[in-house]
Amino acid sequence: MSLNPFTRRAALASGAVLTSTAVLAACGGESDEVDTLDQIENPDENITPEGMPIATEKITIDFLSARPSTTAEDWNEVSVIQATEELTNVHIDFGLVPQDGAAERRNLALSSGDYPSAFYRNGVGTGDIATYGERGTFVALNDLLEAHMPNLTALMEKSPQIREGLTFPDGNIYSTPQIYDPSFPGLRYMFKIFARQDWLDQFGMAVPETTEEFEAYLQESVNTIDGAIGLTDPVNLGETYPTLYGTFGVANQGTAAGQIDLDPETGKVRYFPLSDGYREMMEYLHGLYSKGLIPADIFSSDRATFTAQGSDGLLAACSTAAPAGYFGAEGENYVVVPPLVKNAGDTPVWHAVRSELASIGHFVMTDRCEHPVALARWMDYWYSEEGARQFFLGNEGDSWEEVDGEYKLLPEITEGQSVDDGLKPHSIFMGGSYPGWLTERWFGGVESMPQARESSLAMEPYAISDVWSAFTFTPEESDVLGTVGAEIGKYLGEARAGFITGQTPLSEWDTFVETLENIGLSEFMEIQQAAYDRRQ
């Protein structure tokens, strides 16, 4: 794979010091200066205001893009990208770098001043967006949205939460979002607990409804089935915690705001890991772990181990989107467990609801873009029905066909291989972290499987309706969150593992609280409250 000029420069810069005078113009321009803001108001005559193509004569725009290993090595050889280039007359020099090293490469580019027209699929954090947006390095998209991005604007008008979550305290929108269609249950209620129906039948047990019944099922499985493993998940219990949030009364505004929810007593934001409910959740999980019902190596396990154990028919229960999507035929034996309650007769509630605004920061335009209107229109295409469908399915006839009003992948895409492998020559969505509009109509991942859909619909009657998107912050607030917030997050992960495994006794809870305060929790929460208040 050849590197575009920007990528080559960045690679060289990793071993040499760049001076500020080494900045080169993006988008193939010859000048050292690009007046991006002027081009927004007065675009080149070659750029069309609407319709296709976007440019009368072909133009090239350079990116720095994070490439997941599950996608093609050269995106310009992918059929949907080739078709879109033919449609738009816009060639994207993607500047692909491995996903694992993309953040470092981006930071190097920004610090050196040698950066491209846009960062794509980079997952730029809200702190960097605020900082570089205020400096003018990242272009505010407000005017472009109004004048040249009708598809994304229509989605924001339909769901004001998207615009709210994209807008920074200075009133500007700097990135385009990853949007989950709210009518797609497999994504809104993604992670659930599943138990084996065949083992429940063997034990003469009903599907558990209480935490005590669930523990009894796990105990019976481990005692009865040779080699059985109790409860596990692919990411060190990271997909299990959300499934218990409603049970223990935390994360009452959904999962997008991290460890922040609304205190039901004060109406203020709270750090819910300090709540009585969260402590009860730790006590419950510690009880399961201490009885051998959670694997001893849960905090050093990985997805490959999880998949192998499930495929071998060893898991009594697991937290995931759909076992059939990972375990094959063995996964069909699982049935979803409804939202657990602590006591029989309690009302079940489901707090693990994901925001419609799934994430931001996967596309930002910089002040080095020579053709901002063209780039905005190119990006907006992926939020149209046609463009979004192409992004996830590829081109009609190449990888899918319409059958009775539904989009069906061709047999050569699905037979004898995973869907991701089959679509690799035709699409680039694999690996996640993309800006785009995802609906059940054109997404073929695990979350759209019948088991995922049916289990998610089972959660829907219990789901909370008021769901926050992630907060946005000022540059000053982001500086604090980047240090204090990171320390708090790291300590929480360590403490949580300690409580569950018993390495840290729950009798030391007060020390846990005191340590968080010493790190700077009060300042952290003042920032969270300010962000919440700005939305009111």
Side-chain angles (χ1 to χ4, degrees):
M1 178 183 65
S2 62
L3 299 178
N4 72 1
F6 164 73
T7 308
R8 287 197 296 272
R9 292 196 301 272
L12 291 171
S14 63
V17 177
L18 292 181
T19 66
S20 60
T21 58
V23 177
L24 301 178
C27 303
E30 297 293 328
S31 170
D32 286 341
E33 297 294 333
V34 174
D35 194 339
T36 302
L37 298 182
D38 180 67
Q39 280 294 315
I40 292 175
E41 296 181 3
N42 304 290
D44 190 291
E45 292 182 359
N46 185 47
I47 308 304
T48 61
E50 58 185 0
M52 294 293 174
I54 291 173
T56 304
E57 299 294 331
K58 183 173 290 189
I59 60 172
T60 296
I61 303 178
D62 67 333
F63 284 11
L64 175 66
S65 304
R67 184 185 79 84
S69 59
T70 48
T71 62
E73 292 188 7
D74 184 350
W75 288 355
N76 287 119
E77 293 182 0
V78 174
S79 63
V80 69
I81 298 301
Q82 292 175 338
T84 306
E85 179 173 330
E86 183 176 349
L87 174 70
T88 63
N89 236 2
V90 176
H91 173 76
I92 302 298
D93 195 347
F94 282 102
L96 298 175
V97 297
Q99 191 174 41
D100 289 345
E104 181 180 357
R105 189 69 63 84
R106 181 186 72 242
N107 291 337
L108 171 65
L110 288 167
S111 63
S112 71
D114 189 11
Y115 49 85
S117 302
F119 293 101
Y120 186 70
R121 294 184 72 169
N122 261 245
V124 183
T126 56
D128 280 346
I129 294 175
T131 298
Y132 288 104
E134 184 179 73
R135 293 178 185 175
T137 304
F138 293 163
V139 175
L141 302 178
N142 304 43
D143 293 342
L144 289 166
L145 280 162
E146 183 177 350
H148 301 291
M149 304 182 76
N151 297 306
L152 179 53
T153 297
L155 290 172
M156 292 193 294
E157 288 176 351
K158 184 178 180 181
S159 179
Q161 184 193 64
I162 298 173
R163 183 182 293 275
E164 176 186 71
L166 285 173
T167 303
F168 277 72
D170 63 4
N172 289 323
I173 293 174
Y174 295 103
S175 75
T176 65
Q178 184 179 38
I179 298 172
Y180 289 165
D181 190 318
S183 65
F184 190 169
L187 282 178
R188 293 304 303 284
Y189 320 115
M190 187 171 177
F191 303 127
K192 289 84 56 180
I193 295 177
F194 291 85
R196 288 190 66 124
Q197 182 66 66
D198 53 341
W199 292 7
L200 286 165
D201 293 341
Q202 179 180 337
F203 306 149
M205 289 181 165
V207 176
E209 295 182 356
T210 69
T211 52
E212 183 178 353
E213 290 171 354
F214 183 61
E215 180 178 336
Y217 161 70
L218 296 178
Q219 191 73 66
E220 187 70 21
S221 298
V222 170
N223 290 344
T224 305
I225 306 296
D226 186 33
I229 297 167
L231 169 67
T232 188
D233 73 17
V235 287
N236 315 133
L237 295 181
E239 294 182 7
T240 296
Y241 301 135
T243 69
L244 297 173
Y245 283 164
T247 307
F248 293 96
V250 299
N252 53 40
Q253 304 295 310
T255 59
Q259 309 299 310
I260 306 299
D261 70 357
L262 202 61
D263 190 320
E265 295 182 2
T266 67
K268 300 288 187 179
V269 298
R270 70 172 177 177
Y271 187 68
F272 66 72
L274 296 188
S275 68
D276 292 341
Y278 196 84
R279 178 173 179 168
E280 288 179 25
M281 188 173 85
M282 293 296 101
E283 290 173 343
Y284 179 67
L285 290 171
H286 169 63
L288 298 183
Y289 184 92
S290 66
K291 296 169 186 174
L293 305 182
I294 292 174
D297 64 349
I298 186 64
F299 291 105
S300 60
S301 188
D302 55 28
R303 187 171 291 277
T305 301
F306 170 77
T307 301
Q309 292 170 339
S311 300
D312 289 341
L314 299 177
L315 302 185
C318 58
S319 303
T320 189
Y326 301 101
F327 309 154
E330 282 291 340
E332 298 293 345
N333 291 312
Y334 288 83
V335 61
V336 72
V337 175
L340 292 172
V341 295
K342 289 185 288 185
N343 303 295
D346 288 351
T347 301
V349 62
W350 189 250
H351 287 181
V353 182
R354 304 174 84 186
S355 170
E356 187 175 351
L357 178 62
S359 59
I360 67 175
H362 299 302
F363 169 84
V364 291
M365 184 187 300
T366 78
D367 61 350
R368 297 293 161 81
C369 185
E370 187 177 349
H371 302 294
V373 170
L375 181 52
R377 294 194 60 215
W378 183 88
M379 193 64 243
D380 189 58
Y381 173 71
W382 302 112
Y383 293 97
S384 68
E385 181 128 354
E386 177 184 359
R389 185 177 63 226
Q390 274 188 290
F391 186 79
F392 291 103
L393 294 176
N395 303 318
E396 184 175 10
D398 288 339
S399 50
W400 64 276
E401 61 183 351
E402 188 171 352
V403 179
D404 298 329
E406 295 186 3
Y407 308 130
K408 300 290 186 181
L409 293 173
L410 298 177
E412 54 264 35
I413 302 299
T414 58
E415 291 177 357
Q417 61 186 341
S418 69
V419 170
D420 282 6
D421 286 342
L423 284 174
K424 197 171 185 177
H426 304 287
S427 176
I428 64 170
F429 80 87
M430 292 76 73
S433 300
Y434 44 73
W437 172 31
L438 198 155
T439 83
E440 195 170 22
R441 287 172 291 164
W442 48 65
F443 183 69
V446 169
E447 296 84 2
S448 65
M449 296 182 67
Q451 187 183 58
R453 176 177 176 78
E454 292 165 10
S455 60
S456 297
L457 287 174
M459 301 297 108
E460 197 164 48
Y462 310 107
I464 54 174
S465 57
D466 187 8
V467 178
W468 287 344
S469 59
F471 294 163
T472 55
F473 305 96
T474 67
E476 295 74 22
E477 292 170 342
S478 298
D479 286 344
V480 175
L481 296 180
T483 54
V484 173
E487 288 187 48
I488 287 172
K490 180 182 178 183
Y491 177 67
L492 174 65
E494 294 170 351
R496 189 164 51 196
F499 287 140
I500 292 171
T501 61
Q503 293 179 357
T504 304
L506 280 157
S507 59
E508 295 184 11
W509 187 263
D510 289 345
T511 302
F512 165 65
V513 175
E514 183 180 351
T515 302
L516 284 170
E517 292 293 350
N518 290 337
I519 291 173
L521 184 64
S522 294
E523 185 178 15
F524 176 84
M525 290 307 297
E526 286 175 6
I527 291 172
Q528 300 292 335
Q529 185 67 51
Y532 172 73
D533 290 343
R534 284 193 293 264
R535 289 194 174 179
Q536 304 312 302

